[in-house]
Amino acid sequence: MTLTEEQRRSFYNSMDWRNKREAIKARDHYECQQCRREGKVALDIYEPNKNGRKKIKLVVHHIKELEYNPDLALEDDNLETLCVECHNKIHDRHFSSRPSPKKLKWDDETW
Ligand SMILES: [Zn+2]
Ligand SMILES: [Zn+2]
């Protein structure tokens, strides 16, 4: 079973996902797990901008892609907090060997 783009979009808009995403970030102490593994300085995730709003630099990533593993969509073990840079790198790596070059930018968790 795979999910269509439409199904994934509605998943990322769901309250279940929003709640889970926040829970995972809290679990990971609002740090990029990949940066941690590489021994880099952990990033502050939230930076208040001029309006006092918070700018989110972290995404919660599906280790096994949602598209092919919808049953793992809300599994803690399949989710980790990443900064946008690491997230893009991870997806570039996964997708570089794929036959469809159209899908360049990865936009899943940032919806
Ligand atoms: Zn990172
Ligand atoms: Zn991802």
Side-chain angles (χ1 to χ4, degrees):
M1 176 186 170
T2 62
L3 294 185
T4 64
E5 185 175 332
E6 203 45 47
Q7 284 174 313
R8 280 181 288 142
R9 194 177 290 273
S10 73
F11 167 75
Y12 284 117
N13 282 320
S14 72
M15 279 314 291
D16 280 352
W17 171 244
R18 283 160 203 258
N19 292 335
K20 175 59 74 178
R21 192 174 57 184
E22 292 313 307
I24 295 297
K25 285 189 216 172
R27 180 198 70 183
D28 292 342
H29 308 290
Y30 299 96
E31 287 175 350
C32 171
Q33 300 302 293
Q34 181 63 26
C35 288
R36 270 183 74 161
R37 282 192 290 267
E38 293 177 4
K40 288 193 247 168
V41 179
L43 298 173
D44 285 324
I45 38 154
Y46 288 135
E47 265 184 12
N49 65 19
K50 292 168 202 131
N51 306 323
R53 291 257 213 81
K54 291 183 172 181
K55 195 167 72 179
I56 298 171
K57 287 193 256 171
L58 292 183
V59 296
V60 175
H61 166 64
H62 285 89
I63 296 164
K64 291 183 182 167
E65 283 175 62
L66 174 68
E67 184 175 356
Y68 303 109
N69 303 277
D71 49 321
L72 300 176
L74 294 169
E75 278 295 319
D76 290 3
D77 288 349
N78 193 43
L79 295 167
E80 69 178 355
T81 306
L82 295 176
C83 68
V84 172
E85 277 170 45
C86 289
H87 191 231
N88 285 338
K89 267 186 231 160
I90 282 178
H91 282 290
D92 282 350
R93 197 173 65 214
H94 285 326
F95 287 112
S96 55
S97 56
R98 288 236 184 142
S100 106
K102 276 182 208 156
K103 196 168 180 176
L104 283 177
K105 266 301 154 197
W106 188 251
D107 51 7
D108 66 346
E109 286 97 343
T110 57
W111 282 342

